[in-house]
Amino acid sequence: MTMLPVKEIQERSDRHPKPSGIKFQYGTAGFRTLGKTLDSVLFRVGVLAALRSKKLDGQTIGVMVTASHNPEPDNGVKLVDPRGEMLESSWEAHATAFANAPNSVAFVAAVDELVKTANIDLSIPARVVYARDTRPTSPQLAAALKDGLDAIKAEYRDAGVTTTPVLHYLVRTMNTKGTKDSYGEDTEEGYLTKLSDAFKKLLAGKATPPPLLVDCANGVGALMAERFKAYLGGAFNINLVNTDLHTPGALNNSCGADFVKVNQKLPPSITLQPGQRACSLDGDADRLIYYYADELGQFHMLDGDKITTLVASYIVELVKAAGLDEQIKVGVIQTAYANGSSTKYLSGRLPVKCVPTGVKHLHHAAEQYDVGVYFEANGHGTVLFSPAAQELISSHKASTALTQLKNVIDVINQTVGDALSDAFLVETVLAHKSYSGVEWDSLYCDLPNRLVKVVVSDRNAFETEDAERRLVSPPGLQAKVDELVRRYEGGRSFVRPSGTEDVVRVYAEAVTRADADELAFRVAGLVYDEAGGDPSQRPKEFL
């Protein structure tokens, strides 16, 4: 019987001591905090990833070192399950327990405990693929991860510096290689070829679109976008900005998808001509926000809700044109953050389901449909085609619409939100519909909205229900929020604890910009006071 290499794990673990006074939490996006504090976490995640692989009969598990849209000093790590999806939620507690073991002896005890309780056969080989983004702390954190993998004698592949979506793609392709479910060639080149070939086929015969300006957030997306340029040739032109991977502090700084969405304005480094469209990726290229300038040069944002509407409507049309609308049902998944106007527009056309915030909730709900479309308002999303739907599409009688559907399936990265893949999908629809940004934007008119962060001492005091749209705790607070909402035409507001930091997020929308802002700041003030906020520190904009 294979034994746990206790001595090896303990000796190597001693090189990666846990910092005292820090409690780590594996949340929606994995572990995420200041990069310089994460050395011990990465070592332990290496051991955990190997155990997860053994538990799943030696299937390859992915590990991504990134903090996505967070500021550059932050870093993080998340595990990816065999089909390229997020780590199964029951294992999040194991990750948290491993990370918080106070010393090497306690860590080895936690490992031993998991092996026993999860009934893990240690004789099964462990296989892991890992990658990292461009943050300054990523190389040393990847080295700590590798040390953990070596300690438990796992087989591993270093995918180097690449985007989060590529890592997810690699996990799926490595696990389906040589099977009927093969998802493509298990290399970065395989990814680039699959997506660009499908995109070029979808654009064939259409007028060449004007070049797309792509803001790369000074992150790893710049490397991937640059590589795509060579694969696309003259079929589609992209002009890249914010591609600085070397200046300290540049990553996500006044640029990128999160900057545009939160501030609802252009990055200062970008000027658009009237009629020009552009898009922003985030730091690890898994979020996408579009925008354009109207004929007066005014900025207009096209966020994840707008992308959902564009993409879902197009797929419904293709399915109908292919004669499959009786067999294939398309559904949309949203969270409470979706703009009320988008929900109203979509609900009149196809099923819409609201789920709690977090990719794993959206992804899981999307799997319940033949075709599930999900994009969070922040621009993270994808489209999932069920195995049965893909089988139907591949065997149905040939037609132009069917060929387009097959190419749409190939241009989409179904494993996770992928900013570049999603941009190709958007550009496909715009080309097929002959839409400019103005026509796309006019499908429905967004209600003005505002998102406000409220710093609280304990976010766990806030509990929600109804897909996070209503508070159940603190008692009585929801009734006060309802009372405020009733004062504003088209008013809607909800309060939810953040999954990643000690803040509560307040979202509000109303018919006018002034009302949306006022409602948001009134609810924020209410939350601050109820949570026992220090009156002397109360933000002046809170009403």
Side-chain angles (χ1 to χ4, degrees):
M1 184 182 155
T2 309
M3 302 293 286
L4 199 64
V6 171
K7 185 167 179 285
E8 186 76 4
I9 294 174
Q10 198 165 314
E11 282 178 2
R12 287 182 185 254
S13 175
D14 285 339
R15 300 178 205 161
H16 306 276
K18 179 191 178 292
S20 58
I22 297 181
K23 187 175 190 314
F24 297 107
Q25 175 79 41
Y26 195 100
T28 314
F31 292 110
R32 199 175 282 184
T33 186
L34 274 175
K36 65 185 182 190
T37 67
L38 281 167
D39 183 75
S40 63
V41 171
L42 269 288
F43 173 81
R44 295 168 183 200
V45 163
V47 175
L48 184 74
L51 293 176
R52 180 78 182 146
S53 173
K54 287 174 185 283
K55 176 66 183 170
L56 299 177
D57 290 327
Q59 291 187 86
T60 300
I61 297 297
V63 180
M64 185 70 202
V65 181
T66 183
S68 190
H69 55 278
N70 281 34
E72 191 174 282
D74 286 353
N75 215 324
V77 62
K78 61 179 180 178
L79 283 88
V80 180
D81 263 356
R83 288 184 55 75
E85 73 277 44
M86 299 296 191
L87 176 69
E88 184 191 301
S89 54
S90 67
W91 274 62
E92 292 176 7
H94 304 317
T96 300
F98 274 24
N100 290 306
N103 52 47
S104 299
V105 174
F107 171 56
V108 169
V111 172
D112 194 44
E113 176 69 15
L114 177 59
V115 170
K116 289 188 179 115
T117 54
N119 205 12
I120 296 170
D121 181 349
L122 293 172
S123 68
I124 293 171
R127 299 182 180 94
V128 175
V129 57
Y130 65 92
R132 58 185 170 89
D133 71 8
T134 54
R135 290 166 192 270
T137 52
S138 289
Q140 79 192 60
L141 292 179
L145 172 74
K146 179 177 171 295
D147 217 12
L149 294 168
D150 283 331
I152 199 162
K153 300 182 172 44
E155 297 171 27
Y156 53 82
R157 174 167 146 193
D158 179 1
V161 176
T162 194
T163 66
T164 293
V166 168
L167 190 269
H168 284 253
Y169 167 90
L170 290 174
V171 174
R172 166 94 59 109
T173 50
M174 288 167 78
N175 284 310
T176 56
K177 198 174 186 172
T179 72
K180 67 174 178 52
D181 297 324
S182 173
Y183 194 64
E185 189 191 316
D186 63 336
T187 60
E188 200 173 88
E189 287 67 32
Y191 164 86
L192 290 157
T193 303
K194 180 182 178 181
L195 270 62
S196 56
D197 282 358
F199 184 39
K200 286 189 283 194
K201 287 174 190 166
L202 286 162
L203 291 181
K206 301 288 169 195
T208 305
L212 174 67
L213 187 71
V214 181
D215 159 24
C216 298
N218 296 318
V220 69
L223 299 174
M224 201 51 56
E226 190 58 54
R227 295 199 67 187
F228 264 124
K229 282 174 79 165
Y231 281 77
L232 293 171
F236 186 76
N237 291 310
I238 45 182
N239 294 333
L240 308 181
V241 293
N242 295 322
T243 59
D244 179 358
L245 305 182
H246 304 293
T247 303
L251 177 68
N252 293 323
N253 190 352
S254 296
C255 61
D258 208 50
F259 175 87
V260 176
K261 175 64 180 164
V262 171
N263 295 288
Q264 302 187 17
K265 66 180 184 184
L266 278 177
S269 51
I270 292 177
T271 308
L272 294 183
Q273 299 307 310
Q276 188 180 2
R277 76 200 186 298
C279 66
S280 287
L281 324 176
D282 70 337
D284 64 340
D286 66 355
R287 289 185 182 188
L288 175 75
I289 296 285
Y290 260 77
Y291 37 92
Y292 68 96
D294 62 21
E295 65 276 13
L296 299 173
Q298 283 288 107
F299 164 84
H300 296 267
M301 181 169 66
L302 298 155
D303 64 4
D305 295 335
K306 291 280 186 181
I307 295 172
T308 299
T309 309
L310 183 76
V311 166
S313 307
Y314 176 66
I315 290 173
V316 167
E317 285 171 25
L318 279 187
V319 167
K320 191 169 185 180
L324 287 167
D325 49 323
E326 287 301 315
Q327 294 109 300
I328 293 179
K329 296 299 172 206
V330 182
V332 167
I333 327 304
Q334 293 187 320
T335 71
Y337 286 117
N339 194 277
S341 292
S342 75
T343 309
K344 190 173 173 185
Y345 176 89
L346 288 161
S347 297
R349 290 160 177 79
L350 70 175
V352 178
K353 183 175 169 69
C354 185
V355 298
T357 305
V359 176
K360 62 185 177 192
H361 300 297
L362 290 143
H363 201 87
H364 181 66
E367 289 174 328
Q368 313 307 310
Y369 292 96
D370 300 320
V371 182
V373 182
Y374 76 84
F375 282 86
E376 292 184 276
N378 64 26
H380 185 286
T382 187
V383 183
L384 304 186
F385 289 78
S386 72
Q390 294 194 87
E391 187 69 36
L392 256 176
I393 290 164
S394 65
S395 60
H396 198 64
K397 63 178 187 295
S399 67
T400 308
L402 197 80
T403 304
Q404 284 174 6
L405 258 179
K406 288 177 179 173
N407 287 321
V408 162
I409 289 172
D410 280 348
V411 90
I412 292 167
N413 183 349
Q414 294 189 54
T415 64
V416 73
D418 181 335
L420 291 164
S421 155
D422 293 336
F424 297 159
L425 181 58
V426 165
E427 292 298 326
T428 294
V429 186
L430 297 180
H432 280 253
K433 297 271 207 184
S434 303
Y435 277 179
S436 66
V438 178
E439 282 125 348
W440 171 13
D441 200 14
S442 68
L443 291 175
Y444 68 84
C445 188
D446 264 332
L447 283 169
N449 57 87
R450 176 69 63 198
L451 185 59
V452 182
K453 269 194 209 182
V454 184
V455 178
V456 294
S457 56
D458 179 18
R459 67 183 182 211
N460 297 316
F462 293 79
E463 291 176 27
T464 62
E465 62 179 5
D466 187 24
E468 301 183 314
R469 289 177 286 193
R470 297 190 64 77
L471 281 170
V472 290
S473 173
L477 185 53
Q478 184 60 51
K480 293 178 183 175
V481 173
D482 292 342
E483 172 59 34
L484 285 174
V485 167
R486 280 195 287 273
R487 299 183 198 171
Y488 299 88
E489 188 188 347
R492 180 171 79 94
S493 181
F494 65 88
V495 178
R496 62 173 287 273
S498 164
T500 51
E501 50 188 327
D502 251 331
V503 300
V504 169
R505 300 190 195 281
V506 172
Y507 175 89
E509 59 188 31
V511 168
T512 68
R513 159 57 58 208
D515 279 359
D517 287 350
E518 188 177 298
L519 176 56
F521 290 127
R522 281 196 188 284
V523 175
L526 180 65
V527 169
Y528 187 86
D529 298 341
E530 287 281 330
D534 179 351
S536 68
Q537 300 292 312
R538 196 178 195 269
K540 59 182 184 301
E541 65 272 17
F542 287 8
L543 300 172

